[in-house]
Amino acid sequence: MLLNHKYSNEVYKMISKKLSKGLAVISLVFLSLMSAQSNSAPVNAVAGADAPLSKVLLMATVNNGPAMRPVTWTVYRLDHGKSVWERSLSRHSASIELSPGVYRADVTFSDGSVSRSRTFDLRTVSSSNVIVAMD
């Protein structure tokens, strides 16, 4: 039995939305597992450094899934009320290592349409997920 054209388009849209949301959830789970796996590996300290580096997962999201759009991350170390540039990256997610301390991550879509900021503390943790909703 053939479905009428309008009904089949509605079914297709519904299936597409469900599939998109499912893929977004799978992507987040995969990135979380990758982060957990990298956290289980020993962290090597920089020669002469007092404390080991902390692993940080930066992720920009849209609709509860990876943004999958070009964004720019700028990470600053916050020292005594001053913001000291640490590094910049141009991708929707990245895994980086930072010395213990307090940081601010600024994330902006490449077209400048949305900009967000998040502060995170690495003084007492060996890893951190910095997830920024861009919607």
Side-chain angles (χ1 to χ4, degrees):
M1 178 173 164
L2 294 174
L3 299 174
N4 71 39
H5 182 66
K6 180 180 176 183
Y7 181 73
S8 63
N9 281 341
E10 289 176 19
V11 170
Y12 175 76
K13 287 178 185 178
M14 182 179 73
I15 291 171
S16 292
K17 282 184 181 180
K18 294 270 187 195
L19 185 59
S20 293
K21 286 182 181 181
L23 290 174
V25 169
I26 290 170
S27 296
L28 284 174
V29 169
F30 176 76
L31 287 171
S32 296
L33 290 173
M34 292 299 292
S35 176
Q37 181 181 6
S38 66
N39 289 338
S40 66
V43 178
N44 296 327
V46 175
D50 294 330
L53 298 177
S54 295
K55 296 203 182 261
V56 179
L57 172 66
L58 303 172
M59 180 184 284
T61 64
V62 173
N63 294 326
N64 295 322
M68 303 305 281
R69 288 180 52 185
V71 300
T72 300
W73 290 88
T74 307
V75 179
Y76 299 92
R77 184 180 181 89
L78 304 178
D79 281 329
H80 307 292
K82 295 182 182 178
S83 298
V84 180
W85 179 85
E86 188 72 27
R87 71 180 63 177
S88 294
L89 305 131
S90 294
R91 53 191 119 145
H92 75 89
S93 64
S95 185
I96 61 174
E97 292 184 338
L98 298 169
S99 301
V102 178
Y103 293 87
R104 185 183 79 233
D106 296 339
V107 59
T108 305
F109 279 133
S110 293
D111 64 4
S113 61
V114 178
S115 184
R116 300 279 191 265
S117 184
R118 186 80 68 234
T119 302
F120 56 101
D121 189 346
L122 299 176
R123 291 179 293 188
T124 60
V125 296
S126 62
S127 69
S128 183
N129 292 338
V130 179
I131 299 173
V132 179
M134 298 298 286
D135 48 1

